Amino acid sequence: MRFRKNAGLDTSQVEDRRGSGSSMGMPGGPIAVGGGGVGLLVVVAFVLIQALSGGGAAGSTQTSSDLAQSCRTGADANAREDCRIVGVVNSVQQYWSKTLPQYEIAKTVFFSGATSTGCGQASTDVGPFYCPADKQVYIDLGFFDELRSQFGARGGPFAEAYVLAHEYGHHVQDLAGTLARAQSDRQGPQSGSVRTELQADCLAGVWANHAQQTGFITGVTQADIADALDAAAAVGDDRIQSETQGQSNPETWTHGSSKQRDPWFTAGFKSGKLAGCDTFKGSI
């Protein structure tokens, strides 16, 4: 995966708080949604991921205005990780804006250490997540190092893109009013929480199908898709629990197993349509 060199990046979709983190306690307030170690969770995930991921890597003290100066084109996205994430955010939101008339642009917030959110205080231990209260995505870019070192994923630019696309899948769910399905049924292999997370994986796959049509990304290969699938599998509940607890307990799953996550991303990627992402019907 590469970015079109002359593609213009819109840094107004990203707020850079790196270097301004502070200490805090457990988050409170509305439920935040993310996914597994790759930021993919609901409230339980806040607690789960704190136990699973170590501290995030410290970021720079760059400000949003600095980011605007540094991340102007696709060439910058090809050269720098933070600019690459700006480009991914732009691509994902370009797709959903054209696909869904009711879509609303949501910012991604870069932070290091800890930050305040509409869902309460959050630390880097939480992993990437979406907060429905303020409709923003939060990520410490150091998480991508943890994805490789702690979760055993291969990593790579498209694996990183999958993480952001999954979180924006939660934003799409929020706008559609489906996030509430996770709140009353939070654990178990067929739970509302797992179905919500798998649907976000599928929505990430839908974007991946159309990524090259957004005007930002080019050269998506099967190897890139394999990296995204590898990242999804790396944060499956069964794999994380087996590695951290020595065994897996399906009744406590909140995000789905590795075997569940892979096919739902694939379903979205192959169909390229929202209609292919109904995880709330039948067995998953």
Side-chain angles (χ1 to χ4, degrees), residues 196-232:
T196 297
E197 295 299 333
L198 295 181
Q199 185 176 68
D201 280 341
C202 187
L203 295 176
V206 171
W207 163 77
N209 176 285
H210 299 278
Q212 296 185 94
Q213 300 168 21
T214 63
F216 291 92
I217 292 172
T218 186
V220 175
T221 67
Q222 284 302 313
D224 290 320
I225 300 303
D227 284 344
L229 291 172
D230 178 68

Side-chain angles (χ1 to χ4, degrees), residues 1-5 9 74-75 77-78 84 87-88 216-218:
M1 180 192 91
R2 301 283 290 174
F3 285 85
R4 300 181 187 278
K5 293 181 179 180
L9 301 184
N78 289 329
R84 181 165 68 242
V88 169
F216 291 92
I217 292 172
T218 186

